């Protein structure tokens, strides 16, 4: 089989970056995107050094035209798009509902929900035209349950789950699968920001049955699986990777 063509949003750090490296190691052609040109070009160079083709396309996922451009550039360069990972996300400011503002709402929903929705819109058009594809949306265990902090993050990640299920139904007959990964704690900059201190991180880790956060590479392995033909009969699902955390809820 020819190398699949993969695009990833928010690919410059954390889970997105690990996913780009994992796909590159599998021999996929990888289009990485994010908001920082220099860091993006340096990641593309790193992926090429793994022996595959790679390109950086700048995209802020809050803007529909930038997500359209990302798909257009991918198809122009590589002729198709087999796998799309809507990974970019923000935790925003973690405030209680009694303190949130319209600006907080706009940041969380424009990044996490609109960014995923408009990503799917153009990815699905391209994949439907070629008759195959796999879209993976990065949600959270807080897309499946509430949390005492970050109501806008929780609500926006629930919305990603809803979009995933609806898109899967719309896309199935076109040969396109759409799934979400619902991540528990994964050791990234976002996890550090949300936890705030080493003490909080240790206390949270103690609530995870496996006793530790996951690594970005472990999350990436699941995403690579969902992008591959080995998951060909899986669509419309949320697949959780959380060290057992949800099993106790
Ligand atoms: N780390 C965790 O514990 C955890 C848990 C559940 C879900 N997630 C989700 O995993 C995904 C990846 O997060 P991460 O943990 O790697 O953290 P991260 O902060 O390293 O990665 C998020 C990436 O998204 C990018 N991004 C944010 N807003 C953007 C925008 N408007 N346009 C383009 N890119 C934008 C950031 O610059 C960053 O590179 C996110 O969707 C996050 O919500 C993470």
């Amino acid at each position: 089989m020819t190398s699949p063509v993969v695009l990833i949003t928010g690919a410059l750090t954390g889970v997105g970056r690990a996913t780009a490296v994992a796909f590159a190691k599998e021999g996929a052609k990888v289009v990485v995107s994010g908001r920082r040109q220099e860091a993006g070009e340096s990641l593309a160079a790193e992926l090429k050094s793994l022996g595959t083709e790679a390109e950086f396309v700048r995209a802020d996922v809050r803007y529909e035209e930038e997500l359209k451009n990302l798909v257009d550039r991918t198809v122009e360069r590589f002729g198709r798009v087999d796998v799309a990972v809507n990974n970019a996300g923000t935790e925003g400011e973690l405030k209680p509902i009694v303190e949130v503002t319209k600006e907080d709402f706009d940041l969380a929903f424009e990044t996490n929900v609109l960014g995923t929705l408009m990503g799917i819109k153009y990815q699905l058009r391209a994949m439907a035209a070629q008759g195959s594809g796999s879209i993976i949306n990065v949600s959270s265990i807080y897309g499946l349950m509430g949390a005492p902090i970050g109501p806008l993050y929780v609500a926006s990640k629930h919305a990603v789950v809803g979009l995933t299920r609806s898109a899967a139904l719309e896309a199935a007959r076109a040969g396109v699968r759409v799934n979400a990964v619902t991540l528990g704690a994964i050791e990234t900059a976002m996890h550090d920001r949300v936890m705030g201190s080493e003490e909080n991180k240790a206390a949270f880790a103690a609530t995870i049955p496996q006793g530790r956060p996951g690594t970005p590479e472990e999350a990436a392995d699941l995403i690579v699986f969902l992008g591959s033909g080995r998951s060909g009969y899986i669509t419309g699902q949320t697949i959780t990777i959380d060290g057992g955390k949800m099993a106790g809820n």
Side-chain angles (χ1 to χ4, degrees):
M1 195 199 149
T2 53
S3 308
V5 177
V6 178
L7 76 77
I8 306 166
T9 67
L12 306 188
T13 61
V15 172
R17 184 185 178 89
T19 301
V21 170
F23 271 114
K25 284 183 176 166
E26 298 267 314
K29 296 167 183 163
V30 186
V31 176
V32 284
S33 86
R35 292 170 294 182
R36 289 174 294 129
Q37 189 75 29
E38 212 172 300
E41 283 170 8
S42 129
L43 175 58
E46 186 184 324
L47 298 174
K48 284 183 202 156
S49 76
L50 296 171
T52 192
E53 292 181 70
E55 182 166 328
F56 170 71
V57 177
R58 197 192 166 281
D60 183 324
V61 300
R62 292 171 297 171
Y63 302 102
E64 177 174 0
E65 61 277 14
E66 298 191 17
L67 288 164
K68 179 178 185 303
N69 180 57
L70 174 59
V71 172
D72 289 348
R73 290 280 303 276
T74 303
V75 173
E76 267 165 41
R77 167 80 197 265
F78 294 119
R80 51 191 297 117
V81 50
D82 297 297
V83 180
V85 185
N86 293 306
N87 165 76
T90 182
E91 74 277 21
E93 264 196 72
L94 299 172
K95 298 172 175 173
I97 289 176
V98 292
E99 286 175 21
V100 294
T101 63
K102 172 71 164 55
E103 287 69 34
D104 297 327
F105 176 89
D106 288 346
L107 176 64
F109 274 70
E110 285 175 7
T111 308
N112 299 348
V113 185
L114 190 65
T116 303
L117 172 67
M118 292 306 173
I120 296 170
K121 175 176 174 179
Y122 294 100
Q123 295 151 11
L124 181 50
R125 284 185 185 184
M127 290 174 178
Q130 68 199 21
S132 67
S134 174
I135 296 172
I136 299 112
N137 301 320
V138 179
S139 181
S140 164
I141 56 172
Y142 297 130
L144 301 171
M145 65 177 184
I149 51 163
L152 293 173
Y153 182 75
V154 171
S156 67
K157 290 299 186 180
H158 273 73
V160 171
V161 170
L163 279 174
T164 300
R165 292 177 176 145
S166 291
L169 297 176
E170 185 176 325
R173 292 295 170 96
V176 179
R177 298 182 297 112
V178 188
N179 291 291
V181 290
T182 39
L183 307 181
I186 305 292
E187 188 79 74
T188 65
M190 182 183 287
H191 182 61
D192 286 348
R193 288 193 301 271
V194 171
M195 290 294 134
S197 70
E198 287 304 315
E199 292 70 37
N200 289 347
K201 274 175 78 171
F204 191 84
T207 71
I208 300 169
Q210 289 192 340
R212 63 168 180 89
T215 65
E217 291 73 24
E218 287 171 321
D221 280 344
L222 174 60
I223 294 169
V224 170
F225 169 70
L226 288 171
S228 79
R230 284 169 292 166
S231 60
Y233 198 51
I234 301 176
T235 195
Q237 301 304 305
T238 58
I239 316 277
T240 296
I241 173 165
D242 68 349
K245 176 91 178 151
M246 288 289 287
N249 281 280

